[in-house]
Amino acid sequence: MPVVLITGANRGLGLEFARQYAESGWKVLATCRDPAGAGDLHALRASCPALEVHPLDVADFATIDALAGRLAGRPIDVLLNNAGVFGPKAHAEGDRRQEFGSMDYGIWAEVLRVNLMAPMKMAEAFVEHVAASTQKKLVAISSTEGSSPNAKGGIHAYRTSKAALNMLMQNLAPDLAPRGIVTAAFCPGWIKTRMGGPRAPLEAPPSIAGLRRVIDGLTPERSGKFWLWTGQALPW
Ligand SMILES: NC(=O)c1ccc[n+]([C@@H]2O[C@H](COP(=O)([O-])OP(=O)(O)OC[C@H]3O[C@@H](n4cnc5c(N)ncnc54)[C@H](OP(=O)(O)O)[C@@H]3O)[C@@H](O)[C@H]2O)c1
């Protein structure tokens, strides 16, 4: 039974990944900040008993080490860095704290910690679990907001965090190739979630089904690249 570990699995895209992998017969290690409040995950566990729920705040690196320790000796085929934060939304809420002239540097640091540094910490903490697996995949949910065609001004914290995440996944590929681990970054499209908002054109299920197909098809030759949920290679 292949194993996937998902961060931020309690809602949005992470929850849909958990649902689809669990219903496809995978062992799902679903992690979230507040397991007690993760009602949808517990409901999913009722029909998919192989699903496990583990506490993990990816901004708290000690909890990452603690979880890696508790899971020591358990192979993880796909380590899926999904948890992410957008930061203040000028377009929706008029909050300009990631806009030029009113940048909040504390918020920028928080966004970089969750979206960029945490995936690096996850890679360092879980490298042995992934290397011990059959599929050996380390992936991250990024965004085309972090690619050059979207350098349209504004949204600095989120855009720079995802551009740097794309570089991290590409830069880790040669580091991890000797262990047989492949890496990738993905854009799910613009999806109706709390982050994507109600105006988003896409629902989560087809995007996550597409992303699972792209993850299934990852090979060493494709390692380090940035992909759309459709399987199209993306520039960044
Ligand atoms: N939706 C889109 O249109 C879209 C487009 C491109 C990329 N993405 C990316 O896709 C990923 C998932 O986004 P989404 O749309 O599902 O967003 P969402 O609905 O806002 O969900 C975000 C998830 O991340 C978790 N999270 C945030 N900070 C965390 C932390 N410190 N530790 C652990 N978990 C944390 C949240 O947990 P809590 O419930 O505890 O807050 C939640 O489970 C993100 O990386 C996002 O940047 C989304």
Side-chain angles (χ1 to χ4, degrees):
M1 182 187 264
V3 180
V4 59
L5 185 149
I6 305 166
T7 63
N10 56 307
R11 61 183 167 94
L13 302 183
L15 178 64
E16 184 60 24
F17 269 120
R19 184 187 320 282
Q20 291 195 18
Y21 274 118
E23 289 176 353
S24 304
W26 285 54
K27 158 74 79 184
V28 176
L29 307 175
T31 74
C32 60
R33 283 196 276 205
D34 176 21
D40 291 333
L41 269 184
H42 292 296
L44 182 57
R45 199 163 56 145
S47 55
C48 302
L51 183 140
E52 297 175 18
V53 182
H54 294 274
L56 181 63
D57 179 342
V58 298
D60 179 348
F61 292 177
T63 74
I64 294 179
D65 283 328
L67 181 62
R70 283 201 302 283
L71 297 176
R74 293 180 63 179
I76 295 173
D77 290 275
V78 177
L79 184 73
L80 209 169
N81 290 285
N82 164 78
V85 288
F86 190 89
K89 293 182 174 176
H91 57 289
E93 294 156 14
D95 185 336
R96 298 190 51 81
R97 287 178 292 166
Q98 60 170 320
E99 306 303 308
F100 178 75
S102 47
M103 196 70 191
D104 182 321
Y105 292 88
I107 285 177
W108 197 356
E110 280 169 30
V111 172
L112 289 172
R113 189 168 180 86
V114 173
N115 292 1
L116 171 65
M117 294 182 203
M120 178 61 142
K121 178 64 194 175
M122 290 290 293
E124 291 193 315
F126 285 95
V127 64
E128 297 303 333
H129 306 67
V130 178
S133 74
T134 303
Q135 296 197 20
K136 299 182 177 51
K137 292 168 181 169
L138 169 71
V139 303
I141 306 304
S142 183
S143 170
T144 51
E145 291 292 350
S147 62
S148 51
N150 267 323
K152 296 171 180 164
I155 321 178
H156 288 282
Y158 187 71
R159 285 182 171 153
T160 57
S161 74
K162 293 299 192 182
L165 177 62
N166 290 345
M167 172 55 102
L168 177 66
M169 287 298 122
Q170 184 162 357
N171 211 27
L172 281 175
D175 283 343
L176 299 179
R179 308 294 310 272
I181 297 172
V182 297
T183 71
F186 303 108
C187 179
W190 182 17
I191 316 291
K192 281 189 184 68
T193 60
R194 201 176 300 174
M195 185 185 292
R199 288 179 44 244
L202 290 170
E203 301 285 347
S207 165
I208 299 310
L211 286 173
R212 288 179 50 237
R213 272 194 296 277
V214 185
I215 293 171
D216 279 348
L218 284 178
T219 59
E221 299 69 43
R222 296 177 152 219
S223 190
K225 301 212 165 40
F226 181 37
W227 307 93
L228 190 60
W229 66 279
T230 56
Q232 178 193 334
L234 289 168
W236 60 273

